[in-house]
Amino acid sequence: MEEWDEVEVPDNVKDIFVEMKNTAELMVDLAYSAALFKEKEMAEEVLKLEEYLDLLNYNLTVRAVLSARNIRDAERITSILQMARAIDDISNAAADLAKMVLEEKIHPLITEVILESEETIGKVVVSPESVLVGKTLDELDLSTNTGVWIIAIRRGKRWIFDPDEDTKIMPGDILIGRGTRTALDYLKEIARGNIKVMPNE
Amino acid sequence: MEEWDEVEVPDNVKDIFVEMKNTAELMVDLAYSAALFKEKEMAEEVLKLEEYLDLLNYNLTVRAVLSARNIRDAERITSILQMARAIDDISNAAADLAKMVLEEKIHPLITEVILESEETIGKVVVSPESVLVGKTLDELDLSTNTGVWIIAIRRGKRWIFDPDEDTKIMPGDILIGRGTRTALDYLKEIARGNIKVMPNE
């Protein structure tokens, strides 16, 4: 847990709670991506996020419990703690999957299942000719414009996990995204430079 | 469990497994929607899906175990069962949330957290003037074209949960979707008839 000692945790219950939900969802996406592409570094990231989520959960619990002044408060706060536990359970499931990746225990059927689900994971290489190049994720709003949610970016030898809105796409970037097959194919055409105009232009 | 006695379960391990993953993901979406809109009928659906998922998990386990011929097979199959358990854990978290909805234990903070997450849930009413009217979900491909994943449709007094590609949008339908705020706002404009052309036209 040491490395989280200096990590900033949001300082009110709501922000901690929102961060927990976002983190757990990122963990599930990263865990499936790690399983699909056999990416151990990505699986390690899931386990790091699990520790971060435990820290968030601890902070949420302390603050929530402190805020209870009477029985009625305490009952209401219990419902917050129950939802926090549900989020934590989801993150644990993601961590279990990540551990399987690290132990090289991913049966080929598992990757088939990820590929054939309604929402799947895809890898998209950005060509220098693509309209994506030089734009930030905020400008591109790929989630609205292509239906693909960007989970991670591989740039040269390093990973950018959970890229933020200011992250700029560079030529050669490998985008890891979640979406339907149609959405991922569409983003692929844009990334290859075959589609030159983004829907929002 | 009685009502599932005549439910069709896919008959090979991969299809059962894909169905489990899709079902668990639908359960999470429906559970958050039920919590946000305080929809007990939707929460009941999550609990029904949990029973269905248990049935799928049972069938997967039986078939997977039967297919093991030696130690090596058995070890590989264990990894399938581990992933199935992770999916089952996620579905249990969704069911726990659904139970809180049925017990009316949703603290206002929980709905705030759902609304402020990166991916949130929205409700969109379809006006008779909208280009959505009369088209199937397959034709519209809303997920690629607007970034919104349709979880459920409210039509008059009944719910259509997990609508399929042949489901046709009718005027007055209330769509429950998952996406970013931008994506949900964009779909709202299309549903109101303010945006007349779908991006794929």
Side-chain angles (χ1 to χ4, degrees):
Chain A
M1 291 286 288
E2 270 171 49
E3 66 181 296
W4 294 112
D5 283 353
E6 291 173 29
V7 164
E8 263 184 64
V9 169
D11 65 0
N12 71 67
V13 171
K14 191 183 75 188
D15 292 347
I16 299 174
F17 210 173
V18 171
E19 178 82 353
M20 277 185 71
K21 184 168 179 291
N22 288 336
T23 303
E25 281 158 13
L26 174 64
M27 285 175 69
V28 172
D29 286 343
L30 284 175
Y32 282 131
S33 306
L36 182 57
F37 302 121
K38 311 276 190 326
E39 285 285 356
K40 288 191 182 179
E41 216 179 315
M42 205 177 246
E44 299 277 11
E45 178 71 12
V46 176
L47 300 185
K48 277 189 208 160
L49 289 170
E50 192 196 15
E51 288 188 12
Y52 175 51
L53 202 128
D54 285 344
L55 182 74
L56 290 169
N57 202 3
Y58 174 78
N59 276 273
L60 179 87
T61 308
V62 170
R63 279 170 176 74
V65 168
L66 277 177
S67 73
R69 296 273 171 275
N70 51 48
I71 290 273
R72 197 179 133 73
D73 277 3
E75 277 172 357
R76 287 157 56 96
I77 280 160
T78 301
S79 103
I80 293 176
L81 299 181
Q82 276 175 344
M83 165 131 161
R85 193 169 55 209
I87 291 175
D88 194 45
D89 288 343
I90 291 175
S91 81
N92 288 337
D96 287 344
L97 204 56
K99 283 172 202 153
M100 291 169 62
V101 176
L102 293 175
E103 293 163 5
E104 300 181 6
K105 275 191 190 161
I106 300 294
H107 189 285
L109 189 64
I110 293 179
T111 58
E112 275 185 69
V113 167
I114 296 170
L115 287 173
E116 296 192 18
S117 299
E118 288 176 7
E119 276 194 298
T120 180
I121 307 276
K123 206 182 239 183
V124 176
V125 184
V126 180
S127 122
E129 287 78 45
S130 170
V131 291
L132 301 174
V133 170
K135 298 212 179 97
T136 63
L137 288 183
D138 184 46
E139 287 167 329
L140 291 166
D141 193 4
L142 294 177
S143 164
T144 308
N145 290 313
T146 68
V148 177
W149 185 274
I150 304 299
I151 301 163
I153 300 175
R154 176 94 190 183
R155 180 167 299 161
K157 285 189 175 175
R158 81 187 178 97
W159 277 108
I160 304 166
F161 295 116
D162 195 24
D164 66 23
E165 52 185 22
D166 300 322
T167 308
K168 207 174 263 189
I169 306 274
M170 314 282 270
D173 275 359
I174 297 167
L175 315 178
I176 308 289
R178 172 186 23 102
T180 60
R181 271 168 292 279
T182 327
L184 287 162
D185 285 344
Y186 181 48
L187 178 61
K188 241 171 234 177
E189 291 302 302
I190 296 172
R192 282 185 186 139
N194 295 341
I195 295 178
K196 285 289 183 194
V197 182
M198 288 287 291
N200 63 344
E201 289 174 325
Chain B
M1 293 286 290
E2 268 171 47
E3 66 183 293
W4 294 112
D5 284 354
E6 291 172 29
V7 164
E8 261 183 64
V9 169
D11 65 1
N12 72 66
V13 170
K14 191 184 74 187
D15 292 347
I16 299 174
F17 211 173
V18 171
E19 178 83 355
M20 277 185 70
K21 183 168 180 290
N22 288 336
T23 303
E25 281 157 13
L26 174 65
M27 285 175 69
V28 172
D29 286 342
L30 285 175
Y32 282 130
S33 307
L36 181 59
F37 302 121
K38 311 276 191 326
E39 284 285 358
K40 289 193 182 178
E41 213 178 318
M42 206 178 246
E44 300 275 14
E45 178 70 11
V46 175
L47 299 185
K48 275 189 209 160
L49 289 171
E50 191 196 15
E51 288 187 13
Y52 176 51
L53 202 127
D54 285 344
L55 183 73
L56 289 170
N57 201 1
Y58 175 78
N59 277 273
L60 179 86
T61 309
V62 170
R63 279 170 176 73
V65 168
L66 277 178
S67 72
R69 295 274 171 273
N70 51 48
I71 290 272
R72 197 179 133 73
D73 276 3
E75 276 171 358
R76 288 157 55 97
I77 280 160
T78 301
S79 103
I80 294 177
L81 299 181
Q82 276 175 344
M83 165 134 162
R85 192 167 57 208
I87 291 175
D88 194 44
D89 288 343
I90 291 175
S91 80
N92 288 336
D96 287 344
L97 203 57
K99 282 172 202 152
M100 290 169 62
V101 177
L102 293 175
E103 292 162 7
E104 299 181 7
K105 277 192 190 160
I106 300 295
H107 189 284
L109 190 62
I110 293 177
T111 59
E112 277 185 68
V113 168
I114 296 170
L115 286 173
E116 296 191 19
S117 299
E118 290 178 2
E119 277 195 295
T120 180
I121 306 276
K123 207 181 237 184
V124 176
V125 185
V126 180
S127 121
E129 287 78 42
S130 171
V131 290
L132 301 174
V133 170
K135 298 209 180 97
T136 64
L137 289 183
D138 184 45
E139 287 165 329
L140 292 166
D141 193 4
L142 294 177
S143 165
T144 307
N145 290 313
T146 68
V148 177
W149 185 274
I150 303 298
I151 301 163
I153 300 174
R154 176 94 190 184
R155 180 166 299 161
K157 287 190 176 172
R158 82 187 176 96
W159 278 108
I160 303 167
F161 296 116
D162 194 24
D164 66 24
E165 52 184 23
D166 300 322
T167 307
K168 207 174 263 190
I169 307 275
M170 312 283 270
D173 275 359
I174 297 167
L175 314 179
I176 309 290
R178 175 192 13 108
T180 59
R181 272 167 293 279
T182 327
L184 288 162
D185 285 344
Y186 181 49
L187 179 59
K188 241 170 235 179
E189 289 304 302
I190 296 173
R192 281 183 186 139
N194 296 341
I195 295 179
K196 284 290 184 194
V197 182
M198 288 287 289
N200 63 344
E201 287 175 328

